[in-house]
Amino acid sequence: DINTQEAWDTTTGSSDVIVAVLDSGITPHSEFSGRLMDGVGYYGDTTDKGKVDIESSSGGHGTQVAGIIGAQGNNAQGLAGICWGCKLMPFRVLNTNGNGNTLILSYGITDAVSMGADVINMSVGYPTGGTGALNSAVQNAFAAGVVMIASRGNYNFSSPDFSSNTAAVYPAHFPEVISVGALSPCDERKSSSSCDGESWWESMYGDTLSVLAPGAKVDTTSKTGGYTTNFNGTSAAAPHVSGVAALMLSVNPALTPTQIRQILESTAVDLSSAGYDSQTGYGKVDAQAAVLAAQALLPVVESDLALSFTSPVVSSVTAGDSLSYQLTVTNPSSNAVTFTMKMTRPAIAHTP
């Protein structure tokens, strides 16, 4: 539980916020009705705008990721994603085997920025890529104010893709990208000994880890048009955080990527020793706390404040008399307001 329902008391997401899903494509589903935009397909049929999930598993990797971010809520079916008022934009950067490369990923990032994405989810990871095209694309996206979130990586003990469970994984390793690890159902970093019983894999960790989110046996949408109850990995964790970031931007579109990161980390629920640690980062993401913190940073517009000034009506004033004045400031927003009042003594006209 990352307090999503409590966050929905504030917002379920704005249709002005676009989340780009850089993955294997997104197959249309009733849970995405009216909110699945045209994207880009770099693999497969490039004319389908990324709106076919070509990954060979029955669930479809990209469609499962998309369901966590934005499956429709309050529609009497299935499940609800984190930001179910937001729009989804698919960029098919993975092939039928779920493989891709950093060059294609860099194309996806660049195109997502140019097509108006506010948040980019990347449930992908490569052991190299810290320089060259991917680095340039990440830097440019960050400069453009786009929030990037990526999976920290899975360490498979039987056939590891990485040299160790703390190895660098790109794009999550970039400081401009928010790196997300996976939680077990028992609110612990997913490891070979965690309570889910899946001993063959664990969530990678290390000093670049930012926060954790659910990543074992997660319910989500399937490319068959139905649902699955067993989506696993940091691939499932990252879209939880992307959804929360989209909720934050729904209440405060002016937030920068740096502010989004700072809020996510400062409001996370600490899971281990006090403060940051490389096993759990800053802790478990807290959707409600993050959304409220984002809302609290909204600028107060002067025209939102209502001022009224009441003064007594007197016929005469003698030396030593005091008068009481009342100034009322009405602030309709939820944000604190600081103001300065300067009083000057007016001239008093006296008629003999």
Side-chain angles (χ1 to χ4, degrees), residues 3-345:
N3 291 331
T4 307
Q5 291 194 32
E6 291 80 0
W8 292 338
D9 290 337
T10 302
T11 182
T12 57
S14 167
S15 60
D16 293 331
V17 177
I18 299 172
V19 183
V21 180
L22 275 56
D23 215 286
S24 57
I26 302 175
T27 295
H29 193 290
S30 59
E31 296 283 9
F32 311 141
S33 180
R35 296 182 296 112
L36 182 58
M37 305 177 69
D38 288 346
V40 179
Y42 307 98
Y43 291 100
D45 182 357
T46 58
T47 66
D48 62 23
K49 308 295 185 183
K51 293 191 287 189
V52 175
D53 190 338
I54 65 173
E55 201 255 330
S56 58
S57 71
S58 59
H61 196 270
T63 306
Q64 293 178 96
V65 166
I68 294 170
I69 297 171
Q72 181 65 45
N74 285 354
N75 60 347
Q77 69 178 50
L79 49 89
I82 306 295
C83 189
W84 42 274
C86 301
K87 291 179 179 176
L88 301 167
M89 185 182 289
F91 292 83
R92 196 166 55 232
V93 299
L94 302 177
N95 62 22
T96 56
N97 296 320
N99 297 322
N101 60 65
T102 57
L103 181 60
I104 296 297
L105 182 61
S106 72
Y107 295 160
I109 294 171
T110 299
D111 287 342
V113 172
S114 67
M115 294 172 68
D118 301 291
V119 178
I120 296 176
N121 185 89
M122 296 174 283
S123 290
V124 299
Y126 303 99
T128 59
T131 60
L134 183 57
N135 177 61
S136 295
V138 166
Q139 301 303 320
N140 291 337
F142 185 79
V146 178
V147 180
M148 293 171 286
I149 294 161
S151 51
R152 174 63 183 91
N154 309 326
Y155 190 79
N156 188 317
F157 290 95
S158 61
S159 57
D161 294 319
F162 305 98
S163 58
S164 73
N165 53 10
T166 60
V169 177
Y170 293 93
H173 198 67
F174 289 110
E176 296 81 10
V177 177
I178 298 170
S179 173
V180 183
L183 283 169
S184 80
C186 298
D187 274 0
E188 58 190 337
R189 182 182 66 85
K190 171 65 186 81
S191 69
S192 59
S193 59
S194 53
C195 70
D196 49 89
E198 297 179 345
S199 59
W200 58 89
W201 75 278
E202 73 174 10
S203 174
M204 296 173 69
Y205 57 98
D207 291 341
T208 60
L209 178 64
S210 177
V211 293
L212 300 180
K217 301 181 178 179
V218 176
D219 296 343
T220 187
T221 48
S222 166
K223 72 176 184 179
T224 62
Y227 305 88
T228 180
T229 60
N230 199 37
F231 187 39
N232 284 335
T234 56
S235 285
H240 281 87
V241 178
S242 292
V244 173
L247 290 179
M248 294 164 68
L249 288 170
S250 295
V251 298
N252 190 346
L255 291 174
T256 66
T258 298
Q259 289 175 311
I260 293 282
R261 175 192 286 275
Q262 290 172 342
I263 291 172
L264 288 170
E265 294 176 347
S266 65
T267 59
V269 179
D270 207 346
L271 296 176
S272 186
S273 56
Y276 182 85
D277 65 87
S278 62
Q279 289 272 341
T280 62
Y282 287 92
K284 177 176 69 171
V285 66
D286 186 326
Q288 181 192 30
V291 167
L292 291 177
Q295 189 177 51
L297 290 180
L298 275 170
V300 176
V301 180
E302 284 188 30
S303 60
D304 289 341
L305 301 178
L307 302 177
S308 62
F309 187 76
T310 304
S311 63
V313 176
V314 295
S315 58
S316 65
V317 179
T318 60
D321 285 350
S322 62
L323 297 176
S324 296
Y325 297 86
Q326 180 175 316
L327 175 66
T328 302
V329 181
T330 304
N331 175 23
S333 79
S334 60
N335 306 305
V337 177
T338 300
F339 65 93
T340 302
M341 181 173 65
K342 182 179 181 180
M343 302 263 323
T344 58
R345 185 177 64 182

